[in-house]
């Protein structure tokens, strides 16, 4: 199954939607904890859902079960936490939420995990993918940057 990931930060709407169309994304799976922030610009939940459908015929779903907890995110972002501690905490959260079992049949070929981080290296969307792959869910992954 082909799965994509993308972050919208430092991308114009034109670049963002063009990359999604060119990749062949079928559905955006929004894995942000907070998708209604004013800082999200064109990627604010209702606006994004509208633009995806109108511009690119891409479906949209928001899944907070694939997002970090507020506590975990705040510790890393607001308090200068260590990435390895965040990573361990997030992977533990995925185990506790039984993500592999619950989403094994939910994710579709052509889905794209969306978060705000520009690059996947320090983003939980990459961790979601790695967690699923560690549970023998066969994925071909392309991080759209």
């Amino acid at each position: 199954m082909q799965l994509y990931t993308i972050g919208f930060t430092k991308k114009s709407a034109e670049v963002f939607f063009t990359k999604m169309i060119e990749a062949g994304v079928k559905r955006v799976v929004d894995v942000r904890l907070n998708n209604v922030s004013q800082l999200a610009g064109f990627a604010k939940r209702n606006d994004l859902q509208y633009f995806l459908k109108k511009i690119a015929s891409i479906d949209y779903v928001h899944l907070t079960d694939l997002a970090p907890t507020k506590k975990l995110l705040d510790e890393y972002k607001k308090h200068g936490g260590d990435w390895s501690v965040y990573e361990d905490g997030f992977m533990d959260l995925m185990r506790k939420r039984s993500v592999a079992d619950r989403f094994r049949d939910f994710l579709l070929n052509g889905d794209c995990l969306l978060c705000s981080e520009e690059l996947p290296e320090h983003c939980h969307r990459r961790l979601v993918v790695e967690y699923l792959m560690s549970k023998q869910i066969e994925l071909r992954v392309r991080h759209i940057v």
Side-chain angles (χ1 to χ4, degrees):
M1 174 172 57
Q2 180 68 55
L3 186 68
Y4 303 94
T5 79
I6 193 167
F8 65 84
T9 300
K10 297 186 181 178
K11 290 178 182 69
S12 67
E14 179 181 4
V15 167
F16 177 84
F17 291 106
T18 298
K19 286 180 177 284
M20 301 283 274
I21 292 166
E22 288 175 351
V25 170
K26 304 286 187 247
R27 178 174 67 170
V28 165
V29 179
D30 189 339
V31 297
R32 294 175 290 171
L33 183 61
N34 179 12
N35 66 355
V36 293
S37 167
Q38 294 296 350
L39 299 176
F42 69 84
K44 193 172 171 183
R45 177 188 58 213
N46 292 343
D47 292 339
L48 180 61
Q49 187 173 11
Y50 173 81
F51 292 141
L52 284 167
K53 188 52 88 176
K54 288 296 183 184
I55 294 170
S57 296
I58 295 174
D59 292 325
Y60 172 90
V61 63
H62 182 220
L63 293 179
T64 57
D65 282 347
L66 299 180
T69 62
K70 181 173 181 359
K71 180 182 177 187
L72 186 62
L73 190 59
D74 283 352
E75 183 62 34
Y76 176 66
K77 292 274 191 175
K78 294 182 180 176
H79 304 294
D82 180 84
W83 173 255
S84 63
V85 173
Y86 175 84
E87 189 170 0
D88 289 345
F90 186 78
M91 292 302 225
D92 187 51
L93 184 62
M94 294 292 94
R95 283 187 289 280
K96 287 178 181 172
R97 290 178 176 170
S98 302
V99 164
D101 295 331
R102 293 177 53 218
F103 294 102
R104 181 178 308 276
D105 296 323
F106 178 82
L107 293 173
L108 303 172
N109 191 42
D111 276 357
C112 182
L113 303 183
L114 168 81
C115 195
S116 59
E117 295 294 327
E118 177 188 15
L119 301 172
E121 287 78 17
H122 287 101
C123 183
H124 75 281
R125 69 183 187 267
R126 176 184 60 83
L127 300 178
V128 170
V129 168
E130 289 178 6
Y131 177 76
L132 293 173
M133 292 174 81
S134 78
K135 298 299 180 183
Q136 285 25 143
I137 297 175
E138 294 197 26
L139 301 171
R140 286 188 330 262
V141 180
R142 177 175 163 216
H143 299 288
I144 303 170
V145 293

